[in-house]
Amino acid sequence: MTESREQNVTGVFELENVSVTYGSEVAIAGVSMHIPPRAVTALIGPSGCGKSTLLRCLNRMNDEIGSAKVRGRITLDGADIYAKEMDPVELRTRVGQVFQKPNPFPMTIYDNVAYGPRTQGTRRRSELDEVVERSLKRAALWGEVKKDLKKHAFELSGGQQQRLCIARALATQPEVVLMDEPASSLDPISTQQVEDTIAELKEYVTIVIVTHNMQQAARISDLTAFMLRESMEEPAQLVEVGETRVMFTNPGDKRTEAYITGRFG
């Protein structure tokens, strides 16, 4: 990625009346929201309320599910990501993802981070070295692994593996990083390290995170979106979205207040 592109792109999503169906089942319906750049937006809500489904819409991972249909409009920096001319592979370079469980590739630390840039055509060792170092620093892992980049990724702890996956996602210089419960399988210390990393990363990228952990959402997000599926006969919907501080102290909807205070979900 050129420096000019990095400066010009902002990483803004706009969702207008988005719905997702799996066959005849309507999973989510009528979701409209603005996801601002260089901020952390948390998607919260009970299990089965469509958080991960909505997250997968943002990099077209639902395309991989044959029965899934996405309707409505989603734009990234003004461009419709479901337009025919939008290449899903290119989109996923711009919109990286970190999954619930760490999933490093079965190769060295260095090769994990260099994988994306290599597939994009970067071959010069000096350039790859620079990308690997920058990405590992941004993922707060460089200090722990810089002397042993040839170490196999599977030898790292769970928390280190997850930060390696964050570094791998950052290596292609995405505008957005999606995170689906990135700390749910980690111990408290590793969770704190991942949260600290997320807090620093928003200087460089837009982050959208799915989390069941109310305290985590309150700690790390700038905006919070609450989703709810009131019954199995109804699709999930976006109840409200707003500044996290306000949502957690003075939510606009009684259902949001009930969920945040633990009365259901």
Side-chain angles (χ1 to χ4, degrees):
M1 181 186 292
T2 63
E3 190 67 29
S4 60
R5 178 181 163 189
E6 185 176 37
Q7 290 173 346
N8 292 334
V9 169
T10 55
V12 179
F13 272 113
E14 298 287 351
L15 287 70
E16 300 174 17
N17 199 29
V18 173
S19 67
V20 180
T21 57
Y22 296 113
S24 60
E25 179 195 357
V26 184
I28 61 176
V31 174
S32 297
M33 64 183 293
H34 168 77
I35 298 176
R38 305 302 189 261
V40 179
T41 299
L43 304 179
I44 65 170
S47 296
C49 72
K51 303 183 297 295
S52 294
T53 296
L54 184 63
L55 193 76
R56 290 195 298 268
C57 290
L58 302 181
N59 63 352
R60 292 183 53 172
M61 288 296 287
N62 285 321
D63 290 10
E64 308 303 315
I65 304 172
S67 62
K69 293 265 189 288
V70 179
R71 295 180 174 84
R73 180 175 167 85
I74 303 176
T75 62
L76 174 60
D77 301 329
D80 186 345
I81 68 171
Y82 282 87
K84 290 182 179 179
E85 59 270 20
M86 178 65 73
D87 179 359
V89 176
E90 167 66 15
L91 175 66
R92 290 167 197 156
T93 299
R94 297 170 60 191
V95 184
Q97 184 158 0
V98 176
F99 297 92
Q100 184 171 358
K101 292 184 179 179
N103 62 337
F105 298 147
M107 53 184 69
T108 66
I109 295 168
Y110 185 99
D111 289 337
N112 262 273
V113 183
Y115 184 89
R118 280 176 172 149
T119 62
Q120 293 177 317
T122 303
R123 292 289 180 266
R124 289 180 58 185
R125 182 72 184 203
S126 60
E127 290 182 31
L128 289 171
D129 288 349
E130 183 181 332
V131 169
V132 169
E133 181 175 346
R134 180 181 66 239
S135 302
L136 287 169
K137 281 181 175 177
R138 288 184 175 178
L141 188 58
W142 176 252
E144 297 167 44
V145 302
K146 62 183 178 181
K147 295 180 180 178
D148 205 1
L149 295 177
K150 293 182 179 180
K151 186 175 186 176
H152 198 285
F154 290 175
E155 296 180 55
L156 297 174
S157 70
Q160 288 175 323
Q161 287 187 19
Q162 192 66 302
R163 282 180 285 146
L164 176 62
C165 292
I166 293 172
R168 186 178 67 198
L170 294 173
T172 57
Q173 295 193 52
E175 299 146 44
V176 183
V177 175
L178 310 178
M179 298 186 176
D180 195 350
E181 296 275 0
S184 64
S185 64
L186 303 180
D187 61 80
I189 292 175
S190 297
T191 296
Q192 181 66 56
Q193 290 171 325
V194 169
E195 289 184 6
D196 290 345
T197 301
I198 291 170
E200 294 177 12
L201 280 180
K202 69 180 180 182
E203 179 182 344
Y204 310 105
V205 295
T206 300
I207 296 173
V208 185
I209 180 171
V210 167
T211 180
H212 280 96
N213 187 320
M214 294 300 95
Q215 291 76 24
Q216 184 174 80
R219 283 193 300 265
I220 67 172
S221 68
D222 301 289
L223 274 83
T224 297
F226 172 55
M227 298 184 67
L228 182 64
R229 187 171 194 165
E230 305 240 35
S231 73
M232 293 308 295
E233 290 73 38
E234 299 177 70
Q237 60 177 312
L238 177 65
V239 175
E240 67 174 303
V241 58
E243 190 178 334
T244 296
R245 179 181 54 81
V246 176
M247 284 272 284
F248 277 81
T249 57
N250 188 28
D253 191 288
K254 290 183 178 179
R255 293 168 296 177
T256 309
E257 182 182 11
Y259 181 71
I260 287 174
T261 56
R263 291 205 292 274
F264 77 86

